[in-house]
C-alpha cells in the first residue's frame, strides 16, 4: 500500500512538473524567437516560383508578454518594413497586432505558432516554427472553391516561405 502511495505521489509530482514546463514553454515562444534573423522569402503562385526577396526579422522583448516583431523586406524595387507586435494572451494563445486595429489570433503548438484568418474572402494560414537554430515562416492563401457537399475546399493560389537563420541575439 505504501509503495502504491509513493508511486501515485511521484506521478502527481511528475505531472505538475510537466504541466508547469508546458505552460512556461507556451509563454516563452517570444523569448526563444528574440534576436535578428535573416533569410530569403520565396513566393509561389499556382505552384511556381515567381519571386524571391531577402528578409530580416527583428524580434525584441518589450515587456513580459509583448514582443516587437518587425519584418524588413530588402527588395531593391520595393523595400518594405512591417512592424508588428506579438502579444502573449495566456495558455497557448498569442495575438499579432498589425496596427490599424488589425489583430490576428494565433495558437502555439509545441514550437509552432499557427494563425488562420480570412480577409476579402481570401483564407490565409500563417505559421512560425522554431526548428533548432532556425525559424521557418510560411503563409498560404486561397479562395473558396465550389462545393457540392457540407465540406468546402479552398483553391490555394499562393505560398510564401522563409527559412530564417539567427544572425544576432
Amino acid at each position: 500500500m505504501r509503495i502504491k502511495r509513493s508511486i501515485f505521489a511521484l506521478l502527481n509530482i511528475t505531472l505538475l512538473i510537466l504541466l508547469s514546463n508546458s505552460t512556461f514553454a507556451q509563454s516563452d515562444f517570444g523569448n526563444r524567437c528574440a534576436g535578428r534573423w535573416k533569410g530569403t522569402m520565396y513566393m509561389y503562385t499556382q505552384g511556381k516560383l515567381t519571386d524571391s526577396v531577402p528578409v530580416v526579422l527583428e524580434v525584441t522583448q518589450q515587456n513580459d508578454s509583448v514582443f516587437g516583431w518587425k519584418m524588413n523586406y530588402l527588395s531593391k524595387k520595393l523595400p518594405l518594413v512591417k512592424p508588428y507586435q506579438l502579444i502573449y494572451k495566456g495558455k497557448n494563445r498569442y495575438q499579432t497586432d498589425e496596427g490599424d486595429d488589425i489583430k490576428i489570433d494565433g495558437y502555439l503548438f509545441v514550437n509552432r505558432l499557427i494563425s488562420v484568418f480570412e480577409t476579402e474572402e481570401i483564407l490565409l494560414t500563417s505559421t512560425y516554427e522554431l526548428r533548432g537554430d532556425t525559424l521557418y515562416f510560411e503563409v498560404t492563401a486561397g479562395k473558396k472553391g465550389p462545393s457540392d457537399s457540407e465540406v468546402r475546399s479552398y483553391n490555394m493560389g499562393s505560398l510564401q516561405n522563409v527559412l530564417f537563420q539567427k544572425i544576432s541575439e
Side-chain angles (χ1 to χ4, degrees):
M1 188 68 147
R2 198 178 300 176
I3 293 174
K4 285 184 181 180
R5 284 186 195 167
S6 296
I7 291 172
F8 183 71
L10 181 62
L11 288 174
N12 281 336
I13 291 169
T14 303
L15 181 60
L16 287 173
I17 291 169
L18 288 173
L19 288 174
S20 66
N21 285 341
S22 174
T23 301
F24 176 74
Q26 296 293 338
S27 67
D28 196 41
F29 184 76
N31 283 324
R32 292 183 289 138
C33 291
R36 281 177 58 93
W37 302 81
K38 186 176 182 180
T40 300
M41 176 175 282
Y42 296 97
M43 292 162 260
Y44 300 85
T45 303
Q46 300 301 317
K48 294 182 182 176
L49 181 64
T50 56
D51 204 357
S52 64
V53 62
V55 182
V56 173
L57 172 65
E58 297 176 46
V59 179
T60 56
Q61 185 170 8
Q62 296 177 347
N63 63 41
D64 287 345
S65 61
V66 178
F67 293 85
W69 202 271
K70 184 167 67 171
M71 191 84 78
N72 298 286
Y73 298 87
L74 306 175
S75 167
K76 290 180 182 176
K77 296 179 203 172
L78 187 63
L80 180 64
V81 177
K82 290 193 168 191
Y84 305 127
Q85 285 187 321
L86 181 68
I87 304 163
Y88 177 63
K89 299 300 243 178
K91 296 190 181 179
N92 72 324
R93 182 171 166 244
Y94 283 78
Q95 194 171 66
T96 300
D97 185 341
E98 293 191 354
D100 294 331
D101 217 21
I102 298 172
K103 295 181 177 145
I104 299 169
D105 287 333
Y107 299 89
L108 186 66
F109 295 91
V110 188
N111 288 325
R112 191 171 187 190
L113 182 63
I114 304 168
S115 299
V116 179
F117 54 100
E118 186 174 328
T119 180
E120 298 177 9
E121 296 189 25
I122 297 173
L123 181 72
L124 294 109
T125 301
S126 169
T127 62
Y128 284 93
E129 183 177 2
L130 279 165
R131 298 177 176 175
D133 295 337
T134 64
L135 179 62
Y136 180 72
F137 171 62
E138 180 176 273
V139 176
T140 60
K143 291 188 173 193
K144 289 181 185 176
S147 177
D148 293 338
S149 69
E150 63 185 61
V151 176
R152 177 158 311 270
S153 293
Y154 283 76
N155 298 319
M156 298 311 293
S158 68
L159 175 131
Q160 299 175 352
N161 63 19
V162 181
L163 183 61
F164 286 107
Q165 303 289 327
K166 192 173 244 187
I167 55 177
S168 67
E169 294 295 321

